[in-house]
Amino acid sequence: MRIEGRGRVDRGTPLRFRFDGREMEGFGGDTLASALMGAGVGVVGRSFKYHRPRGVLTDGSAEPNALVTIGDEPNIRATMQPLFHGLQAVSQNRWPSLGFDLMAVNDLAAPFLGAGFYYKTFMWPQRFWERLYEPMIRRAAGLGALSGKPPEEHYETAFAFCDLLVIGAGPAGLMAALTAAQAGAEVILCDEDAAPGGRLLAEVEDVGGVAGHLWAAGMAERLRGLGVRVMPRTTVTGAYDQGTYGALEQVVPAGVHPGGAPRECFWRIAARRAVLCTGALERPIAFRDNDRPGVMLAGALRAYVNRWGVAPGRRVAVFGNNDDAHRTARDAAAAGLKVVALVDSRPDAVNLAGDVPFMPGWQVTQAIGRGGLRAIRLAGPGGRGRMLEVDGLGVSGGWNPSVHLTSHMGARPVWDPGLAAFVPSEAAVPGMSVAGSARGRMGTAACLRDGAERGVEAAGELGLRASMPDLPEAGDDLLRLRALWAVPGKGRAWVDFQNDVTVKDVRQAASEGYGTVEHMKRYTTQGMATDQGKSSNVVALALLAQATGRDIPGTGTTTFRPPFVPVSIAAMGAGGRGKRFAPERRTTTDALSRAMGAPMIEAGLWYRSAYFPREGETTWRQACDREVRMVRQTVGVCEVSTLGKIAVSGPEAGRFLDLVYTNTMSTLAEGRVRYGLMLREDGHVMDDGTVSRLSAHDFLLTTTTAAAGQVMRHLDFVQQAYAPRMALRLVSVTEHWAQFAVAGPLARGVVDGLLDAPMGDLPFMGCRAVTVGGVGARLFRISFSGELGFEIAVPARYGESLFRALLGRAEALGGGAYGLEALNVLRIEKGFLTHAEMHGRVTAFDLGMHRMIAPGKDCIGKALASRPGLVAEDREMLVGLWVAGDRAPLAGAHLFAEGASPVSENDQGYVTSACWSPTLEQWLALGFLKNGRARQGERLRMVDHLRRLDVACNVAEAVAFDPDGGRMRG
Amino acid sequence: MRIDCPLCGARDRREFSVLGDAAMAVRPEVGADTQTWSDWLHLRDNTAGRLRELWYHEGGCAAWLVVERDTVSHAVHGVSLVGASDAD
Amino acid sequence: MVDLIASDPWAGLLPVQAGAARLEAVDPGPLALLAPWPRAEEAMNAALRAAHGPGFPAPGRIETSGAARAIWFGRGQALLAGVVPDPSLRAHGLVEDQSDGWVVARLTGDGALDVLARLVPVDLRRLGPKGVVRTMLGHMNVAILGTSGGVEILAFRSMAGTLAHEIADAMRAVAGRAALG
């Protein structure tokens, strides 16, 4: 219900909204929770396990009950959701409706659904698990539902930097920020709420002679004027190493159309220092049916009255174990509500609430009213009992300093018996100090001072001179309390509202031997819901301590881990959505190739053309087979810019290359190209490629597309770690040069026609600087196809133009473009290798290339390549395989002796590459076979169980076509 | 996590990739036996405490760095350039 | 004799305008990577000064003289921009043409640093007109140069499309926030 003349909502702007289809009205400044309360809605959800009707428990971030779905977003805390005109929200975890939820049958089955019930049930009969139990549990489990659609809204991540990060804009935080900013520090101030002030927004109290919320607003303005970056609606979610903090900003509330703005932003803040001013969170007292709608935290009840001008009903009571709860009774009475009783469990408590019925030494033993609180039962000294009619009850078991971030790096908080709460341990997070209620200072004046002192301290650590500012006048009440965790009695009393864990569950865990807090947590699931046990951890721990006969420090505490509040994956992973996951690398012929109809294949980050379909071709095989024949019979042009190209220059470049390649590169003559193998230090093959010597001091290395980055990293390491005094330097030039392969019997004519001067007798494995239309280019006579082949490189800006020119000449001779599919077939026919064969577990010996390891010099990997196990006769060695019949061989299939059963014990090897060879009209494959070099001609069985392949094949030389290489050397 | 690159200043961990123990920075003598090589490559102390590691500033200046890091507290105690000379 | 036509890496991508920020193409002229051999650093520095004007830059710095800019580019590396490198430099280290390896875009306008805050994990407020950082923009290796009025961003030619799209998205997000008021 709404209270006339109370709260700071804007009654001039009524906002219409819908909850579960029912239309209601609220005001500007309302949260969804306060608007629902104002509209008289008491039940906002159903509990997780027992599906009990639930109302709002808190006024903020720690809310466990009021989780709603807005649009496609589930699990939005109604207490944090700003109301706007047209908001549509639905309740969760109920079917068919909030008012009539069939799953409430679970509440009747409660005796069977206690702690750890799932460890004791759903086990028999075993075959029922997959068919019945698991689907059933899956349907029943979870809070809220995902839409299954990608989000329409945009999310973002961002980076921010500052000298001082102040976490929380309550009294302590505002003073810390002011002090540091005045000293010249660059400050970022974050707060979860839309407005600064922390608890001041909920209380009736003055600071510096003005209402607390006005003082806070004024301070925020002043801070902005000092250059402080004030970030409202921003929750700092985690503390990480070296002063890094994660923070989640609600830029646009759920359900609001964002325009171009992001819905949320996940910030990574690098701060040289931080002050944690996160205040404290109230905790409840457990008693029978304390989860009825209308029972809430006392501090929340008065927040609803003071800040939003709403109440759960006209008749309210307050039940607490401390002085602070009295403020709720005082404020409710001042607002015109009927305060039926202020119940304080301490017999010697003094009434601080004024003229309200005061019941010291009494306790509330039961809340009555399943669909909404109607009455409470009480027990008093001397065994007396009473029942009172109420619509709302505020409960306070004390306040827990919000220490969460202080334990994100492994430190554990310390028990303060006076406060009956945990406070941060010293220096828990390097560079972060704690001020105010977050470290147990509970009065406003104490918080103002503490925040200012920490600000001075932080500024000093930053090398700035700060001085204590004038502290505004404020109240400073001590929080006197006496611990009370649970009221004894029958019935179920709730500890963890979100995961439906009761006092009975905690005690049961202890009695079954789960007496450590880590076990109790996992056995009962207390503290494991999305609220991370903010209102239940300490109560549960205290009950566990009692049940196991220990004190609280002896029982310990679980560690908090980031994030402090749930963070949507959309926010944390923003920038990684869809194609944004990785950069796209496009060659200079990419657009032209796509225009020619070529499907593109992803090769790492690059896009490469698969094939170039011609009129009448309907399958990739048709195009691929044609392209292979074209290269073998006339000429083909292929885009090969994506291969890594590394320039290595210097007087000692050759010596350096001798170290990284197995063979000797320092003896390579100018104008020549040599195939090279690079090993890892463990003797396995890292990559292969060519080395071209362009001049005495200039070498150009190529790498495979896949390994370009890895090789560059490796060469940088070798140069900096092993050869820092050697006269050479290296740099990647992959991007600068566009490069094309021209291959086939007619290749020379195609290339020569474009050169300004004919190439003359460029030998096989030769290289030369040339010009094309006056542009400096490089020509290599190398072949990956096995045909007469060249590669021509021009600066990338001319790439497309050169490709067009080459294509024009090739097509005029009956040839054309070819793509990766044909490239792969051509090289398989020739037994040339890719990373399908050099997959990280093969050695030069396996490939039959052990003679490429030059005996007279050291190289990376040489020592360990000679280990007996790496040169053993039964190693899997590279072989070719010919397959007869119609079935295609498959990469990944395994090899078995003819007649042997295809099981792991009989495994002889595996297939790495396979293709239909148009040249040989034959299925071909490459693979590795135990002692393969000695088994030429042997008939084997090739089996792939997953894809149902079982064919015979013959072991052959890896080079299936033109074994002497005459076609490319001639 | 942030690493203080001697050339670039303090940078986000995303800019770096790690190779492993700094023992990799010095190869065994040529001619050392296979066991020595194998131990150098494969055996490591699993220290709960200070560890010297090789990091590559891949997303920055491409310098290889030796980072002394405490594996328990994550504190970074020193960062130096691999193979540093006066010119660095 | 064939006539090779140069293509524009930014065709169809730039310029982009959103809110107060603008991203436009820059032609940096010739680019060459210079990396002196060990113990030849001083000689390279002197040769560079003699041939083109600027000296070899210290980490994070740009040295400028006339059309020539010497931009620190990594450990022991500088990118010489705006002039074709003099052959005398080759006596002291690696000199590699990189004119077509990098593309350059300029981001200007009020929200420019806010835009880059979405993509770059470095505090660019400290950059200054003679400063350069090698860092990441999204997942791409870039160099970011301070200039008066904005920043210049160098990225791999093959990633020009990604660079333009990422920055344009960030520009629109920043403009969208500004429109919220």
Side-chain angles (χ1 to χ4, degrees):
Chain A
M1 54 164 263
R2 290 270 166 200
I3 306 172
E4 275 314 303
R6 287 280 149 173
R8 298 192 293 277
V9 295
D10 180 4
R11 310 228 180 198
T13 33
L15 305 171
R16 298 206 149 273
F17 69 99
R18 279 184 189 275
F19 180 62
D20 278 351
R22 239 177 80 198
E23 197 171 278
M24 298 176 221
E25 193 179 88
F27 299 106
D30 263 330
T31 61
L32 176 59
S34 64
L36 285 169
M37 195 177 293
V41 175
V43 178
V44 295
R46 289 273 180 162
S47 72
F48 176 55
K49 196 162 45 167
Y50 301 120
H51 288 256
R52 289 164 67 93
R54 289 285 171 83
V56 169
L57 185 78
T58 70
D59 62 316
S61 171
E63 178 58 34
N65 288 336
L67 303 183
V68 301
T69 297
I70 296 176
D72 290 333
E73 286 190 53
N75 295 337
I76 296 180
R77 293 157 290 168
T79 50
M80 301 297 284
Q81 171 68 28
L83 192 72
F84 59 90
H85 189 79
L87 169 65
Q88 301 202 38
V90 297
S91 59
Q92 299 182 167
N93 208 41
R94 78 293 182 275
W95 186 83
S97 74
L98 196 53
F100 179 65
D101 180 9
L102 286 178
M103 289 299 284
V105 67
N106 287 1
D107 206 20
L108 297 173
F112 303 105
L113 298 176
F117 77 93
Y118 30 78
Y119 298 117
K120 302 165 184 163
T121 53
F122 304 118
M123 289 189 195
W124 183 89
Q126 203 180 15
R127 67 183 182 282
F128 273 36
W129 173 255
E130 217 173 300
R131 273 186 278 144
L132 178 63
Y133 297 144
E134 206 249 5
M136 212 172 74
I137 293 170
R138 198 169 277 284
R139 257 198 302 273
L143 276 172
L146 292 175
S147 66
K149 302 177 291 184
E152 285 165 12
E153 301 87 358
H154 167 68
Y155 290 75
E156 64 177 12
T157 59
F159 299 93
F161 305 87
C162 61
D163 291 332
L164 181 69
L165 174 65
V166 179
I167 304 166
L174 289 167
M175 293 309 289
L178 178 73
T179 318
Q182 283 177 335
E186 226 172 51
V187 179
I188 292 179
L189 173 64
C190 292
D191 195 284
E192 273 195 310
D193 211 320
R199 269 316 286 182
L200 295 176
L201 296 170
E203 306 292 4
V204 175
E205 68 176 270
D206 284 354
V207 177
V210 300
H213 69 276
L214 290 176
W215 174 83
M219 278 292 282
E221 268 320 294
R222 194 171 160 198
L223 289 171
R224 284 192 186 93
L226 289 168
V228 173
R229 185 166 174 179
V230 179
M231 298 178 71
R233 288 204 207 288
T234 304
T235 311
V236 176
T237 54
Y240 303 92
D241 294 320
Q242 279 91 39
T244 309
Y245 296 85
L248 181 67
E249 179 191 6
Q250 303 288 313
V251 182
V252 171
V256 174
H257 182 64
R263 160 85 181 86
E264 289 175 334
C265 178
F266 187 75
W267 290 89
R268 288 172 174 88
I269 304 174
R272 292 169 60 203
R273 288 289 184 280
V275 185
L276 186 73
C277 309
T278 42
L281 292 169
E282 200 170 24
R283 64 196 178 213
I285 300 169
F287 55 88
R288 183 174 180 179
D289 294 331
N290 60 330
D291 71 322
R292 294 301 186 209
V295 180
M296 64 187 68
L297 293 170
L301 181 55
R302 68 176 180 268
Y304 283 112
V305 170
N306 296 330
R307 184 172 177 182
W308 291 290
V310 297
R314 189 137 283 291
R315 298 174 57 86
V316 300
V318 177
F319 170 38
N321 66 354
N322 59 75
D323 289 351
D324 187 70
H326 294 212
R327 296 163 72 163
T328 301
R330 179 198 71 190
D331 293 350
L337 298 174
K338 174 87 182 102
V339 177
V340 171
L342 168 58
V343 183
D344 195 317
S345 59
R346 302 169 293 168
D348 53 345
V350 172
N351 182 0
L352 305 169
D355 186 20
V356 297
F358 186 52
M359 300 175 68
W362 284 74
Q363 299 178 6
V364 173
T365 56
Q366 186 183 4
I368 296 161
R370 185 176 161 81
L373 189 66
R374 285 184 280 112
I376 50 176
R377 197 161 286 172
L378 305 100
R384 283 180 286 162
R386 278 188 74 180
M387 195 148 99
L388 295 171
E389 278 180 22
V390 293
D391 335 275
L393 175 67
V395 180
S396 180
W399 289 78
N400 297 326
S402 286
V403 303
H404 309 71
L405 258 64
T406 65
S407 35
H408 282 180
M409 289 175 60
R412 288 183 186 262
V414 172
W415 182 252
D416 180 331
L419 208 50
F422 284 99
V423 294
S425 51
E426 280 304 305
V429 172
M432 185 172 89
S433 61
V434 188
S437 301
R439 71 176 187 124
R441 309 281 187 271
M442 292 310 187
T444 306
C447 289
L448 293 165
R449 167 170 299 280
D450 207 36
E453 283 174 354
R454 292 311 221 199
V456 169
E457 198 178 85
E461 287 171 7
L462 292 164
L464 301 165
R465 288 266 305 275
S467 49
M468 282 295 281
D470 294 328
L471 297 174
E473 264 197 49
D476 209 8
D477 307 312
L478 287 176
L479 174 64
R480 280 180 293 253
L481 65 72
R482 188 165 311 137
L484 173 64
W485 309 107
V487 173
K490 292 191 314 199
R492 285 174 291 162
W494 264 260
V495 175
D496 183 327
F497 292 85
Q498 193 163 108
N499 262 1
D500 255 348
V501 178
T502 61
V503 172
K504 211 178 263 196
D505 293 328
V506 177
R507 291 180 179 151
Q508 181 185 335
S511 78
E512 291 191 21
Y514 298 96
T516 69
V517 65
E518 299 286 353
H519 282 141
M520 180 275 293
K521 173 177 174 174
R522 283 153 181 79
Y523 195 62
T524 62
T525 76
Q526 178 276 316
M528 291 174 70
T530 67
D531 66 340
Q532 291 191 328
K534 289 185 177 66
S535 53
S536 64
N537 283 335
V538 176
V539 175
L541 185 68
L543 293 169
L544 184 68
Q546 282 172 357
T548 55
R550 293 171 292 178
D551 61 11
I552 287 175
T555 313
T557 181
T558 55
T559 315
F560 298 105
R561 292 178 182 81
F564 176 69
V565 290
V567 179
S568 63
I569 292 176
M572 206 179 270
R577 188 175 145 186
K579 294 229 161 225
R580 294 281 178 265
F581 177 73
E584 293 185 354
R585 296 184 81 171
R586 306 228 172 171
T587 63
T588 57
T589 61
D590 186 275
L592 176 57
S593 300
R594 289 171 195 253
M596 289 169 71
M600 306 303 277
I601 291 178
E602 290 176 43
L605 299 180
W606 290 99
Y607 284 84
R608 304 186 70 179
S609 316
Y611 54 92
F612 293 83
R614 289 207 179 148
E615 187 94 28
E617 286 172 351
T618 50
T619 67
W620 73 270
R621 268 287 308 279
Q622 289 174 326
C624 177
D625 289 354
R626 172 188 48 78
E627 288 176 9
V628 172
R629 281 191 286 269
M630 180 184 75
V631 171
R632 294 251 180 260
Q633 290 163 17
T634 54
V635 60
V637 183
C638 184
E639 159 75 88
V640 295
S641 304
T642 64
L643 278 76
K645 303 181 273 294
I646 301 173
V648 182
S649 291
E652 296 190 272
R655 196 175 144 216
F656 175 78
L657 295 177
D658 285 350
L659 176 61
V660 297
Y661 283 101
T662 60
N663 41 344
T664 312
M665 295 302 179
S666 55
T667 56
L668 184 61
E670 281 183 52
R672 302 300 285 222
V673 183
R674 187 166 287 172
Y675 175 73
L677 207 60
M678 229 185 250
L679 302 182
R680 298 194 310 245
E681 202 72 90
D682 68 355
H684 290 73
V685 174
M686 179 192 296
D687 198 37
D688 72 342
T690 60
V691 176
S692 303
R693 190 167 201 158
L694 303 171
S695 78
H697 289 171
D698 297 303
F699 293 81
L700 181 70
L701 281 49
T702 64
T703 76
T704 59
T705 302
Q710 181 190 2
V711 171
M712 191 66 207
R713 184 181 314 137
H714 173 67
L715 295 181
D716 259 346
F717 178 70
V718 173
Q719 190 261 311
Q720 292 180 39
Y722 302 152
R725 311 275 173 264
M726 253 195 232
L728 76 127
R729 299 304 305 271
L730 50 101
V731 68
S732 166
V733 294
T734 308
E735 291 280 336
H736 175 77
W737 296 99
Q739 190 150 331
F740 305 98
V742 184
L746 306 180
R748 186 188 297 272
V750 170
V751 176
D752 242 351
L754 292 180
L755 302 179
D756 293 341
M759 70 173 83
D761 69 10
L762 178 63
F764 176 63
M765 302 298 274
C767 61
R768 179 174 305 166
V770 294
T771 62
V772 177
V775 172
R778 289 169 173 174
L779 181 64
F780 306 86
R781 190 174 151 196
I782 52 182
S783 177
F784 195 51
S785 60
E787 296 304 311
L788 171 65
F790 301 89
E791 288 191 16
I792 179 160
V794 288
R797 74 185 68 190
Y798 300 112
E800 185 188 324
S801 186
L802 179 62
F803 186 63
R804 284 181 189 274
L806 288 167
L807 271 191
R809 295 187 65 82
E811 282 164 2
L813 295 173
Y818 69 102
L820 271 194
E821 298 288 354
L823 184 87
N824 199 33
V825 172
L826 292 161
R827 69 99 187 161
I828 292 174
E829 290 176 339
K830 289 296 300 179
F832 293 159
L833 307 177
T834 64
H835 273 249
E837 285 73 42
M838 294 181 294
H839 51 58
R841 296 181 319 282
V842 301
T843 64
F845 177 81
D846 299 340
L847 298 174
M849 293 184 182
H850 38 291
R851 277 179 274 279
M852 277 182 69
I853 303 178
K857 68 162 179 73
D858 183 32
C859 74
I860 304 264
K862 183 171 186 179
L864 290 175
S866 64
R867 287 179 285 171
L870 295 194
V871 295
E873 188 179 82
D874 65 345
R875 279 189 72 83
E876 290 157 346
M877 302 168 186
L878 181 70
V879 293
L881 298 157
W882 288 52
V883 179
D886 316 330
R887 288 296 312 277
L890 296 169
H894 278 253
L895 302 169
F896 301 89
E898 197 182 17
S901 172
V903 293
S904 330
E905 296 79 35
N906 297 336
D907 193 1
Q908 294 289 298
Y910 53 95
V911 177
T912 54
S913 305
C915 71
W916 169 257
S917 163
T919 310
L920 299 163
E921 293 188 331
Q922 171 70 50
W923 291 108
L924 286 184
L926 296 172
F928 289 91
L929 178 68
K930 285 193 163 121
N931 200 11
R933 289 195 278 274
R935 296 167 76 170
Q936 287 296 310
E938 187 174 322
R939 210 167 135 86
L940 297 175
R941 192 174 168 191
M942 181 188 292
V943 178
D944 183 320
H945 290 300
L946 283 177
R947 292 174 287 182
R948 301 192 217 286
L949 177 75
D950 192 347
V951 292
C953 61
N954 285 346
V955 180
E957 293 290 337
V959 185
F961 177 66
D962 183 34
D964 295 328
R967 294 175 75 90
M968 62 186 180
R969 292 176 203 276
Chain B
M1 177 178 159
R2 295 174 75 70
I3 295 175
D4 238 295
C5 172
L7 301 180
C8 301
R11 290 293 179 91
D12 190 282
R13 178 196 56 72
R14 273 167 198 73
E15 295 189 5
F16 302 85
S17 60
V18 65
L19 177 66
D21 197 288
M24 292 291 298
V26 181
R27 297 175 86 222
E29 302 265 311
V30 177
D33 65 21
T34 312
Q35 192 63 53
T36 305
W37 277 96
S38 180
D39 289 351
W40 168 77
L41 189 63
H42 298 120
L43 293 187
R44 297 282 179 265
D45 287 334
N46 189 16
T47 316
R50 293 199 187 197
L51 182 66
R52 292 174 76 244
E53 291 174 322
L54 292 163
W55 288 77
Y56 182 42
H57 197 182
E58 199 158 24
C61 62
W64 276 92
L65 306 171
V66 179
V67 177
E68 186 171 345
R69 203 167 64 85
D70 188 311
T71 58
V72 174
S73 69
H74 297 184
V76 173
H77 291 286
V79 185
S80 58
L81 292 167
V82 162
S85 71
D86 294 334
D88 278 310
Chain C
M1 171 94 166
V2 71
D3 199 7
L4 289 182
I5 302 164
S7 58
D8 171 15
W10 293 118
L13 297 170
L14 297 182
V16 176
Q17 179 95 36
R22 183 176 170 77
L23 185 68
E24 57 201 352
V26 172
D27 183 352
L31 297 172
L33 201 287
L34 311 178
W37 324 133
R39 294 173 299 278
E41 295 88 359
E42 247 323 293
M44 170 69 89
N45 182 31
L48 185 56
R49 237 183 252 288
H52 298 291
F56 201 89
R61 308 288 305 160
I62 304 171
E63 303 291 336
T64 310
S65 174
R69 276 189 301 174
I71 304 161
W72 177 81
F73 220 60
R75 185 178 183 185
Q77 297 184 348
L79 189 72
L80 179 63
V83 289
V84 174
D86 190 270
S88 64
L89 301 179
R90 287 182 196 278
H92 310 293
L94 173 151
V95 179
E96 270 300 314
D97 191 358
Q98 295 275 270
S99 305
D100 289 35
W102 296 90
V103 290
V104 187
R106 181 179 298 126
L107 181 65
T108 53
D110 261 343
L113 289 186
D114 281 337
V115 170
L116 292 176
R118 268 110 195 105
L119 296 163
V120 180
V122 168
D123 191 356
L124 294 174
R125 295 172 301 176
R126 315 244 174 277
L127 198 52
K130 290 196 196 300
V132 55
V133 290
R134 286 299 309 262
T135 182
M136 312 288 293
L137 188 146
H139 305 282
M140 295 175 282
N141 280 55
V142 295
I144 301 182
L145 281 56
T147 63
S148 43
V151 294
E152 274 182 18
I153 301 157
L154 278 71
F156 287 0
R157 186 188 193 91
S158 67
M159 299 187 190
T162 300
L163 184 81
H165 292 138
E166 295 271 293
I167 295 182
D169 276 357
M171 287 165 69
R172 282 188 282 268
V174 170
R177 267 184 192 256
L180 291 175

